[in-house]
Amino acid sequence: MYGLIGKMRAAGGQRDAILELLRDSTRALPGCLSYIVATDPADADAIWVTEVWIDAESHKNSLQLPDVQAAIAKARPFIAGFEFQVETNPVGGFGLP
């Protein structure tokens, strides 16, 4: 499996707009086992995204999907930046094979 954990920063007051776009664009992602979007209770502009994929290739391919490309284009004006992204190798857990 292939995992990513990332933190992005919304432009002031735009967090909910980004959350809506992320939730709406992640309904059909071939190879995605888990895609969790979360707010940060200590930072009103932070968004955490935790992903688990069957492999890195599935994640890479998802970035080319028309719905994902459209969501990225719509969200770009609302994103102030990305603080970091960490790759992981998930080995299992509740909800994973």
Side-chain angles (χ1 to χ4, degrees):
M1 287 185 277
Y2 175 74
L4 290 170
I5 300 171
K7 182 179 181 182
M8 78 173 69
R9 181 155 302 284
Q14 298 300 319
R15 183 185 71 183
D16 290 344
I18 296 171
L19 292 172
E20 183 177 342
L21 287 167
L22 289 173
R23 286 191 307 256
D24 289 347
S25 68
T26 56
R27 300 197 193 285
L29 297 171
C32 185
L33 301 173
S34 178
Y35 191 96
I36 307 297
V37 180
T39 59
D40 188 323
D43 185 342
D45 292 325
I47 299 170
W48 290 89
V49 179
T50 305
E51 307 172 48
V52 179
W53 298 83
I54 59 172
D55 54 30
E57 190 71 19
S58 294
H59 173 260
K60 181 180 172 184
N61 292 339
S62 75
L63 297 174
Q64 303 308 312
L65 294 171
D67 287 347
V68 172
Q69 287 288 312
I72 291 169
K74 287 179 187 174
R76 192 169 282 126
F78 306 127
I79 298 172
F82 295 88
E83 293 194 3
F84 68 86
Q85 181 171 305
V86 177
E87 292 185 10
T88 65
N89 293 314
V91 296
F94 184 79
L96 297 179

